[in-house]
Amino acid sequence: MTRDGEIPAIFNPKRVRTPSVVVTGDSSTNGPYSNNSTGGAGASSSTAVAPGSSAQNGGSGSGAAGSCGFSNVLTSSNPQITHQDSISSSQQDPNEVVIIPADTPTSAPGSHNAAHHFGGGDSSDTQTEQQQGNGHGEESELRFRKLQACKESCCSELARKMYFGVCVTILMTASWVGATHCIKYMYKYRAPYDDLLNDDQDTSSSRADLSTELEDILAISDSSLHHVEDATEMFNIPPRQPVYFSAPFFAAWFFTNFSLLFFPIYLLGLVSTRKCEKLSDILGDVLRGFRERGFTVGRFLNRCLCFCILWLVTTYLYTLSLHVLYATDALALFATNVACVYLLSWVILHEQFVGVRIVAIILCDTGIALLAYMDGITESRTLSGVVLATLAGAGYAVFRVMFRKVMGDPPVSQIAFIFTALGFLNALLLWPVVLGLYLTGTESLTSESIPWNLLFAASLLLLVFHVLMQFSAAVTYNMFVTLGLITAVPVSGALDVILYSANFAGMKLAGVILIGIGFFLVMFPANWPDYITRLLRSIIMLGHNAR
């Protein structure tokens, strides 16, 4: 509080609070009073004494300032600010002089800048907190944008197709290898030896009991012993011979019957995705689609019967080849169907000619020749197995190309209906062939000669394989579907080494490798030179950027 009739100390030259602020150089005045008004003797152009200091010190302002033992001087070479203890408002400290460089902005006491420089830093702290808050907000927003971009890239349609493609390849490899090894193991089937051993033990014990009884009845003599031996031979039961599987056509016919489940599986898929309509509506759409394509009932059944016979013959040849070859050899030879598909598509469907695929066909044929003579030229058994597996691959290629030629590119519902019709015609019309082979003794269909557990396992695995082969094009690219045929070869090779101690070396290994190279060359896109050119350009650009 100020006295009555007095003005505040900051405007009263006689009531100045210490330290007084003096600006050096040509700086502006501090307050309403000029520093030059008190300029007494001894004041230089670069320094000034605070107003009113000469009045209270007997007009010796410069001498007081100079004779003082302590002074706070702030220069550009010694940037230091010191502040003595505060003095009462009615006193003045002439010994304290504060000098501020000229480039330091000054303002009137009590202003915002004065508060900032002399302990009033609350506004700067607030600004710093606001800047930190803005920084955290921008950082969180940037992270959110990055996460959103990552989610969009990982969950895009292309990414989903890639994920489905990898899963389809793994499932196709597992099902194809499992079905092939089940069929191969059926040929290794034997009747249980425990039963045979028990039968032999029972026979020997019965012979001993019978001999003892006969010895008790008949007199012990040479002639009686001779009669005993005849009696034991009369009651002797010969041991049962091992039973082998020898019904490949019945197995192929049994596998094809499972094609009846194609359309029910399609309906289950619709139910699982909650897109199922009435069964009559679905069948109506399917039949309407065939009518629009120009199919009548007779023409449709005729085409389906032809495809059924071709499918059955292909499955029979593949099953029969496994009686001679290892599963890996049969899988590698069957994988050559992709080369045959391209060759037939080029001739029948008039697809684009690609030179590298012709090279792939040559490599596949070379691999087939090496596998044909992997056990020597005189081994006709191996040669027959290679021919059967190669014919199976060619038959499957004919089936695929003719299916596209006759049926076009139908939707999934029509494909499922066609394969169900194949299974129905196979079960309805081709069973007399199975019965004829059994009656002629060509195949054995006794319950002991057929391993039913392996037969059912192979049927289910083949069903999974063909369902993936036909339906996966709706969710992924055909490349992943076809890739399952060649990835099954190394997996099967590992199983053959473990189960049958197979040895892959020499011509056999070279043939499998050549078939694999030819398979991948066939899968090259038609514009593969453009991709290679882009790859080379990107590599060159990366090299320039690195330099």
Side-chain angles (χ1 to χ4, degrees), residues 23-244:
V23 181
T24 62
D26 299 331
S27 62
S28 61
T29 60
N30 189 4
Y33 296 95
S34 173
N35 291 334
N36 295 331
S37 64
T38 61
S44 63
S45 61
S46 62
T47 59
V49 183
S53 63
S54 60
Q56 293 188 10
N57 288 286
S60 61
S62 63
S67 63
C68 183
F70 176 79
S71 64
N72 289 335
V73 180
L74 180 62
T75 63
S76 60
S77 62
N78 186 19
Q80 221 172 18
I81 297 178
T82 58
H83 191 193
Q84 292 181 350
D85 293 336
S86 63
I87 305 175
S88 62
S89 60
S90 61
Q91 295 179 355
Q92 177 185 2
D93 188 5
N95 297 327
E96 184 177 16
V97 177
V98 178
I99 301 174
I100 300 175
D103 55 353
T104 303
T106 59
S107 62
S111 64
H112 175 74
N113 292 333
H116 174 74
H117 288 289
F118 296 99
D122 295 337
S123 61
S124 63
D125 295 339
T126 305
Q127 292 178 358
T128 305
E129 292 177 358
Q130 291 178 355
Q131 291 176 359
Q132 290 179 355
N134 294 333
H136 288 300
E138 293 177 356
E139 184 179 357
S140 61
E141 185 178 357
L142 182 60
R143 290 180 180 177
F144 177 75
R145 289 178 180 177
K146 288 183 178 180
L147 290 175
Q148 188 176 7
C150 181
K151 181 180 178 181
E152 290 177 357
S153 61
C154 295
C155 299
S156 61
E157 184 179 359
L158 176 63
R160 287 198 300 269
K161 283 192 173 184
M162 297 288 286
Y163 302 150
F164 282 124
V166 173
C167 295
V168 165
T169 301
I170 294 174
L171 291 176
M172 288 189 63
T173 301
S175 59
W176 188 224
V177 171
T180 303
H181 278 271
C182 286
I183 297 172
K184 177 65 180 177
Y185 199 74
M186 286 195 300
Y187 289 105
K188 302 291 184 181
Y189 175 77
R190 301 287 188 278
Y193 285 101
D194 295 338
D195 296 342
L196 293 177
L197 184 60
N198 294 332
D199 292 343
D200 294 340
Q201 292 176 355
D202 294 341
T203 303
S204 61
S205 61
S206 61
R207 291 175 60 188
D209 295 340
L210 182 61
S211 299
T212 303
E213 293 176 359
L214 290 176
E215 287 176 358
D216 294 338
I217 294 174
L218 299 175
I220 305 302
S221 62
D222 294 337
S223 59
S224 62
L225 288 175
H226 179 69
H227 291 294
V228 169
E229 292 176 358
D230 293 339
T232 55
E233 292 178 357
M234 183 183 300
F235 288 99
N236 181 23
I237 301 175
R240 189 170 54 181
Q241 298 296 326
V243 178
Y244 298 93

Side-chain angles (χ1 to χ4, degrees), residues 257-273:
N257 287 335
F258 275 73
S259 298
L260 281 166
L261 301 176
F262 264 75
F263 198 72
I265 290 173
Y266 170 73
L267 294 178
L268 289 177
L270 292 180
V271 171
S272 62
T273 56

